[in-house]
Amino acid sequence: MIWIAVAFGFLMAFGIGANDVANAMGTSVGAKALTLKQAIIVAAIFEFAGAYLAGGEVTKTIRKGMIDSSYFNGQPELLVFGMMAALLAAGIWLLIASKLGWPVSTTHSIVGAIVGFAAVGVAFDAVSWGKVGSIVGSWVITPLLAGVIAFLIVLSVQKLILNTEDPFQRAKRYVPFYMFLAGFVIALVTIMKGLKHVFKDKSIELSMVEIYLIAAGVGVIIAVIGAMFISRIKVDKKENKDYQFASVEKVFAVLMIVTACGMAFAHGSNDVANAIGPLAAIVSVIQSGGEIGASASVDPRILLVGAIGIVIGLIVLGSRVMATIGQKITHLTPSRGFAAELAAASTVIIASGAGLPISTTQTLVGAVLGVGMARGIAALNLSVVRNIFVSWVVTLPAGAILSVIFFYIFKAIFS
C-alpha cells in the first residue's frame, strides 16, 4: 500500500512540476531573458534545492487544516484511502490541465480532492467549510492585489525610465532602486517561505525586525553590485532611443533571472508539501498501526520522491504552461516581466503576513494581467484569459469528483 501511495505522490509531484513551475520561469521565457532550455535547467536546480534541502522534515498530516481528524478515529484506513484518492485525483487533474496549457493551482487541486473524499466519503461536517470559503475568496483577492502592484511597477518604470529623453541615464539613476526592491522582496520570500522549514526544524527563531533587516541588507548589496555593473555599460548619448531601450531591457533581464531563481527555490520548498503531505500522512498511519497524529515526520526518501517528481514533470510537460503565462496572455519585455515577478513575490509576502491562503499560479497570472492592463485592455488576449479563469473555477470540483470516485474504488478493493 505504501508503494502504491509513493507512486501516487510521485504523480502529484510530477503534476506540480508540469504546471506550477511555470510560475517562476514562464515570464523569463516570455520576455526572452532566458531560453526555454535555460529556464528548465535553472528551474530544475532551484526547485530541487528548495524541495529537497528546505522542504521540511515534519509536515502536517492534513494540509491547511481542511478536515477534522477526529472523524477518522477508529477507522484510520479511511484516511489512508482518502489521501491516496486525493493524490491520484489531483495528479490526474494537473496532468490534464498541463497538457491543455492551463495554469491551475496545485494547492487548490489537492485541497479540492481532500475536501471531496472527506465530505462525500466520510461526513459532510468533517470538512472545515470556513477554510474552503477563504480559499475561494483568495481567487479574487490575490490576483487582484498582484495585478495592482504589477500595474503600478510598470507605470513607474515607464514614467521614470522608458518614456524619457535619455532612458539609459535615467536607468542608471533609478534601476539600483528597483534592484534593492527585488533583492529585498526575494530575500523575504526566501527566508519566510523558502527557509521556514529549515528554521523550524533547527529551532531557529528570527523576529520580524531581524528578518526585515536581513532582507534590507541583501537588497542593499544587490543594489550596490547592480549600480557598479550599470555604471560600466557605456551607451553613447547620440545612439538612437531604440538602442538605449535595448540596453535598459538587458539590465531588467538580469534582474528577472535573480527574482525567478528566488521564486523557484521558495516554490520548491513550499509546494512540495502538496505532494508529500498526504504521502507522509499515509506512511505515518500505516507504520504506526492506525494512529493519526497532527503532524508526521518526513522520511528524506519521501522528500526525494517529491523533488525528483517536480523536476521530471517540469522537463516533460513544463513548456506548455510556460508558453501560456509567458507568451499568450500579453506581450512581455524584460522590464514588464520583472514587474510581474516582483509583484507576484510581493503579493506572496503580503498574503503570508496576513494569513491569506495563496495560490502562486493565480498570483502570477494576476500580475501578468496587471502588466498587460498598463498598456490598455487591447494588449490582453481575452480568450486565453477567459480559459484560465474557467480552469480555476473547475479545479476544486474536478479534484473533488475524481477523488470521491477513487476513494470508493480503493475502499472496495482494500476493505
Side-chain angles (χ1 to χ4, degrees):
M1 215 159 186
I2 287 177
W3 280 110
I4 296 170
V6 166
F8 294 166
F10 180 84
L11 175 72
M12 176 66 190
F14 182 96
I16 293 172
N19 201 289
D20 239 21
V21 179
N23 300 335
M25 292 293 157
T27 42
S28 303
V29 175
K32 300 192 168 49
L34 289 170
T35 65
L36 184 61
K37 198 174 177 182
Q38 288 168 336
I40 286 173
I41 292 167
V42 170
I45 292 166
F46 281 91
E47 287 278 343
F48 184 87
Y52 188 64
L53 301 177
E57 291 164 24
V58 175
T59 184
K60 288 187 176 68
T61 49
I62 296 168
R63 295 279 289 140
K64 315 274 183 204
M66 277 296 133
I67 50 178
D68 183 350
S69 61
S70 67
Y71 281 84
F72 299 95
N73 291 341
Q75 41 184 8
E77 68 282 358
L78 292 187
L79 183 65
V80 172
F81 302 151
M83 287 301 183
M84 284 169 66
L87 283 173
L88 182 59
I92 287 173
W93 170 245
L94 287 174
L95 285 188
I96 294 167
S98 303
K99 202 98 174 104
L100 295 168
W102 293 344
V104 297
S105 166
T106 53
T107 306
H108 293 176
S109 304
I110 193 74
V111 164
I114 289 174
V115 165
F117 92 78
V120 178
V122 183
F124 190 78
D125 293 338
V127 177
S128 309
W129 291 106
K131 285 269 173 71
V132 178
S134 67
I135 284 189
V136 173
S138 75
W139 289 350
V140 180
I141 298 163
T142 47
L144 197 63
L145 182 60
V148 169
I149 296 172
F151 182 83
L152 295 174
I153 294 171
V154 170
L155 286 191
S156 71
V157 171
Q158 286 174 347
K159 199 168 172 55
L160 296 173
I161 300 172
L162 299 177
N163 298 348
T164 59
E165 285 301 307
D166 192 347
F168 196 74
Q169 280 307 112
R170 297 294 286 258
K172 277 187 173 179
R173 187 187 307 169
Y174 290 112
V175 165
F177 170 73
Y178 289 107
M179 288 184 157
F180 167 78
L181 213 55
F184 177 70
V185 170
I186 288 303
L188 278 182
V189 169
T190 307
I191 295 167
M192 288 166 70
K193 303 289 278 182
L195 296 174
K196 71 174 181 186
H197 303 299
V198 176
F199 289 164
K200 207 185 228 172
D201 296 337
K202 302 276 185 288
S203 299
I204 299 170
E205 287 201 17
L206 293 175
S207 69
M208 286 313 290
V209 174
E210 288 168 327
I211 290 172
Y212 278 101
L213 284 174
I214 293 168
V218 171
V220 168
I221 292 165
I222 287 179
V224 168
I225 294 169
M228 280 161 48
F229 274 107
I230 296 170
S231 64
R232 288 185 183 171
I233 302 172
K234 296 283 179 273
V235 173
D236 195 333
K237 279 191 178 179
K238 296 187 192 72
E239 294 284 2
N240 67 17
K241 246 186 175 182
D242 286 347
Y243 183 78
Q244 289 202 14
F245 279 151
S247 303
V248 172
E249 292 289 3
K250 272 182 196 160
V251 175
F252 278 110
V254 175
L255 260 185
M256 271 192 89
I257 296 164
V258 174
T259 48
C261 293
M263 284 295 273
F265 182 84
H267 176 264
S269 68
N270 245 313
D271 280 30
V272 73
N274 287 332
I276 65 159
L279 180 53
I282 294 165
V283 173
S284 144
V285 171
I286 292 173
Q287 289 181 343
S288 68
E291 210 171 292
I292 300 168
S295 58
S297 62
V298 178
D299 187 315
R301 289 172 298 182
I302 292 181
L303 265 182
L304 201 57
V305 167
I308 292 171
I310 286 177
V311 171
I312 293 175
L314 162 71
I315 292 166
V316 175
L317 263 185
S319 58
R320 296 187 181 215
V321 181
M322 274 193 202
T324 301
I325 286 183
Q327 293 157 353
K328 292 181 182 172
I329 298 174
T330 189
H331 175 65
L332 292 176
T333 61
S335 59
R336 292 178 202 146
F338 165 72
E341 280 182 7
L342 185 59
S346 305
T347 307
V348 167
I349 289 297
I350 294 165
S352 301
L356 290 170
I358 189 164
S359 155
T360 38
T361 306
Q362 293 175 349
T363 306
L364 190 78
V365 169
V368 173
L369 288 175
V371 167
M373 286 296 286
R375 292 162 55 229
I377 194 96
L380 294 173
N381 185 336
L382 293 177
S383 67
V384 171
V385 175
R386 186 194 63 232
N387 289 346
I388 290 172
F389 278 119
V390 169
S391 72
W392 287 357
V393 174
V394 172
T395 293
L396 269 178
I401 292 164
L402 286 170
S403 168
V404 170
I405 295 166
F406 294 136
F407 176 72
Y408 281 114
I409 291 171
F410 294 145
K411 207 172 160 186
I413 294 171
F414 294 110
S415 288

